[in-house]
Amino acid sequence: MKYVVVTGGVASGLGKGVTASSIGVLLKACGLRVTFIKIDPYLNIDAGTISPSEHGEVFVLDDGGEVDLDLGNYERFLDIQLTRDNNITYGKILQSVLDKERKGEYLGQTVQVAKHVTNEVQEWIKHVAMVPVDGKEGHADVCIIELGGTIGDIESMIFTEAFSQFFDGLGSDNFCLVHVSFVPVLNVVGEQKTKPTQHSVRTLRGAGLTPDALVCRSSKKLEENVKEKLSQFCHVKKTCIFTLHNVQNIWHVPLLLKDQKAHDAILKVLNLQSASWELNMEEWEGRATKYDNLHDTVTIAIVGKYSELSDAYLSVVKALLHASLACSRKLRHDFIDSTNLEDSAAKERPEAYNAAWSLLKGADGILVPGGFGDRGTKGKILAAKYARENNVPYLGICLGMQIAVIEFARHVMNFPHANSTEFDPDTKTPCVIFMPEGSKTHMGGTMRLGSRRTFFKTNDCKSARLYDDVNYIDERHRHRYEVNPDMVPIFENAGLQFVGRDETGRRMEIIEMPDHRFYVGVQFHPEFKSRPSKPSALFVGLVAASSAQLEHVLEKSSTGDTTVL
């Protein structure tokens, strides 16, 4: 097994995840099989209990793992299926060590960080690296490991020590260390500054790690003299220093590394040069070029309560991007804080209120994503009401579906007190209820999680046609509450159809309004399985309806034509 480790320095948010994913794309294009591990040095067992406004979205895997959003990047870029074990956290490592200590597995030893914890990290890496993630038998050729955080952080020291020990026993041609750093450009003089990267590499070396390659984030391409300076003071070959400057779309990132022959440098370090002749990036080049040349736009309003951090809805945005490319449209997405749509905001924040409603009314389509808690739900209900009454394409995901059900009950069925028991435990009309297998006392990993099967009750609906008239689909879930099955007949008599259900018929998975241009709600999260080459069917439906192409898309789906428009 060969290993590529990606670390980051100077500042967080430089794009280590995209860099690691892009390296994976290059190695896969060379004919190699690739797997990934993401290390997060926080004490949480997983990402499930972390607020999206602090850490970005919680990405959900087929096995129900609630993991860091970078695993979503890996899956999208390489079209693979990872497991919860591909995300290592400090909390998981400590839990495993302490469980072993309680069982007496250390045979009376004094349990220490520098031996037992670092050994646990190494054993975890060696085990997970051998698990195939591409649907083929046998292990991958290369395991790419991304270390979260910034080199020098106290939280990551245990992992850099584990790497140092791990690499000592591997042999120099079995691992390649890629350090992602920042080269700022001072506006006053317009000069690229190398000092932050020099300090970062010095810190990395102090931790016992020596970089084989530098990937430098900058607003513009690195100048030759800057490369020479970095090479001299960071002791990295000039041919192993690469620039990731600002590009028009994310699909250019692997192409930037390809043009600089980053794959050749990495393969040389790993003694795998014979694989490089197979490099094929035609699909990526075609995708990046096509999106650059699109002119007709489609505007989707994303109505949620985490609008202050775009990464909170990262997979939703990526799925919209995939769908817009399939529909030959340039995507424009506007985040709308749902609290700014509420009546109280008109008095307290009139400017924000007017701006939010202006964006909503100017959108071609409306999407209400998943979420938890009561804050902002009134605004989401107003957004769903506006979409329903004005025939604006609407897609509600998880909570967004429940919001649509509540809105329909209140304003069509005349149940003014209709609500979810999540928001009002004593509501007189509980149209959304708590799930029996959930937990109200323990938050982590206690929801309905992972891939679950949805059966179509009828194929005479937009959702089934978008999914190519299959009888069932498998999509990923993450929720505690669901539509009250006892109220379903009343809803359907009033015109809201529940066209997708689970195998028992008691869990409602997909709603539609047949007479609406596109009004769909789903209890699952279709964004998690969307890929650039295989966009989510429901996101394609939303974008197509928002750009007057839905009938054409439905016709293509009915004939089994999967080509883009």
Side-chain angles (χ1 to χ4, degrees):
M1 175 64 68
K2 307 282 187 177
Y3 296 90
V4 175
V5 175
V6 178
T7 59
V10 181
S12 59
L14 294 179
K16 292 193 304 298
V18 174
T19 301
S21 301
S22 299
I23 291 171
V25 169
L26 292 181
L27 297 182
K28 183 180 179 180
C30 291
L32 296 168
R33 294 175 62 195
V34 182
T35 186
F36 283 88
I37 295 174
K38 172 65 188 296
I39 296 177
D40 286 301
Y42 46 67
L43 284 173
N44 303 67
I45 299 299
D46 57 36
T49 57
I50 304 177
S51 170
S53 61
E54 177 181 334
H55 196 69
E57 75 171 4
V58 177
F59 190 79
V60 179
L61 302 170
D62 270 1
D63 68 355
E66 297 173 283
V67 296
D68 183 81
L69 58 82
D70 278 318
L71 276 79
N73 285 324
Y74 309 154
E75 285 203 342
R76 282 187 291 268
F77 270 60
L78 278 84
D79 193 18
I80 54 179
Q81 286 190 353
L82 301 171
T83 71
R84 66 178 75 231
D85 289 341
N86 291 90
N87 192 188
I88 301 175
T89 69
Y90 199 2
K92 282 183 180 179
I93 296 296
L94 289 181
Q95 184 180 60
S96 179
V97 169
L98 293 175
D99 285 346
K100 289 179 180 179
E101 187 273 334
R102 290 290 85 187
K103 294 175 183 177
E105 293 187 22
Y106 295 121
L107 301 176
Q109 299 177 34
T110 300
V111 180
Q112 297 176 311
V113 170
K115 177 182 179 182
H116 299 93
V117 175
T118 53
N119 284 351
E120 186 70 22
V121 173
Q122 296 173 61
E123 291 303 315
W124 195 304
I125 289 173
K126 285 188 286 186
H127 168 72
V128 174
M130 301 301 288
V131 178
V133 296
D134 56 4
K136 301 176 183 178
E137 293 185 0
H139 61 78
D141 301 303
V142 180
C143 177
I144 299 176
I145 306 172
E146 178 193 347
L147 176 59
T150 305
I151 288 296
D153 292 347
I154 190 172
E155 294 91 348
S156 62
M157 288 181 179
I158 189 64
F159 294 104
T160 55
E161 176 61 28
F163 284 152
S164 180
Q165 296 175 16
F166 188 41
F167 294 156
D168 281 345
L170 278 181
S172 60
D173 63 348
N174 286 322
F175 70 92
C176 176
L177 180 58
V178 179
H179 189 58
V180 181
S181 188
F182 180 49
V183 178
V185 179
L186 297 184
N187 291 332
V188 178
V189 294
E191 181 183 1
Q192 293 177 321
K193 293 295 184 180
T194 65
K195 195 66 71 175
T197 298
Q198 292 179 45
H199 285 302
S200 179
V201 170
R202 189 175 297 120
T203 302
L204 187 65
R205 289 180 181 277
L209 300 173
T210 301
D212 297 293
L214 292 179
V215 174
C216 300
R217 288 283 288 115
S218 188
S219 58
K220 61 181 183 179
K221 186 177 179 180
L222 285 187
E223 298 168 3
E224 287 302 309
N225 67 310
V226 173
K227 276 191 175 184
E228 291 172 359
K229 193 172 183 180
L230 285 171
S231 177
Q232 178 183 359
F233 291 104
C234 296
H235 305 286
V236 175
K237 294 179 181 178
K238 186 178 175 183
T239 54
C240 293
I241 299 176
F242 313 107
T243 311
L244 284 186
H245 54 79
N246 296 342
V247 291
Q248 289 180 276
N249 69 66
I250 196 172
W251 297 315
H252 280 290
V253 178
L255 301 177
L256 276 179
L257 292 175
K258 165 186 165 289
D259 292 341
Q260 298 172 77
K261 299 188 181 302
H263 56 290
D264 283 341
I266 292 171
L267 292 173
K268 185 175 182 180
V269 172
L270 297 176
N271 195 22
L272 289 171
Q273 297 97 311
S274 60
S276 61
W277 67 271
E278 297 182 13
L279 185 68
N280 183 350
M281 299 289 288
E282 289 182 6
E283 181 183 340
W284 279 88
E285 291 169 351
R287 186 182 298 125
T289 301
K290 178 181 178 180
Y291 196 75
D292 285 344
N293 293 325
L294 292 176
H295 300 291
D296 296 331
T297 62
V298 61
T299 303
I300 305 297
I302 302 174
V303 183
K305 67 175 183 178
Y306 304 120
S307 58
E308 68 273 13
L309 182 65
S310 60
D311 276 356
Y313 302 114
L314 183 63
S315 291
V316 168
V317 174
K318 297 305 181 186
L320 285 172
L321 187 63
H322 304 160
S324 64
L325 182 68
C327 293
S328 298
R329 290 294 184 272
K330 182 81 76 173
L331 174 67
R332 174 182 169 183
H333 59 278
D334 292 324
F335 290 110
I336 300 177
D337 188 332
S338 56
T339 61
N340 289 331
L341 295 172
E342 297 173 358
D343 294 339
S344 59
K347 299 177 181 179
E348 299 169 3
R349 305 179 301 279
E351 290 186 5
Y353 175 83
N354 292 330
W357 275 103
S358 177
L359 287 175
L360 188 74
K361 292 180 178 180
D364 300 311
I366 297 172
L367 188 152
V368 177
F372 298 91
D374 187 38
R375 183 172 68 86
T377 54
K378 293 178 181 177
K380 295 174 186 178
I381 289 172
L382 289 170
K385 183 173 185 286
Y386 175 83
R388 178 181 58 79
E389 292 180 342
N390 293 278
N391 204 28
V392 177
Y394 175 91
L395 177 61
I397 297 174
C398 197
L399 178 60
M401 167 180 160
Q402 298 170 8
I403 288 292
V405 170
I406 295 169
E407 189 282 321
F408 191 89
R410 289 183 182 180
H411 302 116
V412 177
M413 299 167 60
N414 296 316
F415 292 133
H417 301 292
N419 213 334
S420 167
T421 56
E422 178 183 7
F423 311 137
D424 181 5
D426 301 318
T427 177
K428 297 178 181 178
T429 313
C431 51
V432 178
I433 60 173
F434 183 72
M435 294 171 53
E437 76 267 35
S439 171
K440 292 184 178 180
T441 58
H442 290 74
M443 303 299 288
T446 58
M447 293 180 277
R448 184 170 169 84
L449 288 164
S451 182
R452 306 294 179 107
R453 184 154 290 179
T454 294
F455 292 86
F456 286 104
K457 183 181 177 184
T458 174
N459 285 86
D460 185 23
C461 62
K462 295 182 180 70
S463 301
R465 293 172 66 188
L466 286 167
Y467 278 105
D468 297 331
D469 292 321
V470 296
N471 294 322
Y472 62 83
I473 54 174
D474 295 315
E475 294 280 10
R476 299 175 182 178
H477 291 64
R478 184 177 186 251
H479 62 105
R480 286 190 176 87
Y481 292 79
E482 64 180 332
V483 174
N484 186 347
D486 295 335
M487 291 190 66
V488 168
I490 308 173
F491 277 109
E492 294 202 315
N493 287 336
L496 188 65
Q497 299 302 303
F498 293 82
V499 300
R501 308 185 185 192
D502 79 335
E503 66 278 3
T504 68
R506 295 280 293 171
R507 299 182 185 277
M508 304 302 116
E509 296 283 3
I510 307 176
I511 63 167
E512 280 193 20
M513 290 186 62
D515 297 331
H516 194 282
R517 185 152 54 120
F518 186 85
Y519 196 89
V520 176
V522 292
Q523 188 58 72
F524 47 81
H525 289 264
E527 69 270 25
F528 291 144
K529 293 181 70 172
S530 183
R531 305 288 183 262
S533 58
K534 294 182 288 187
S536 164
L538 294 173
F539 278 81
V540 170
L542 174 65
V543 173
S546 302
S547 55
Q549 301 182 78
L550 184 58
E551 286 306 314
H552 184 38
V553 168
L554 293 176
E555 288 175 11
K556 291 169 75 72
S557 296
S558 65
T559 60
D561 186 353
T562 59
T563 57
V564 297
L565 300 178

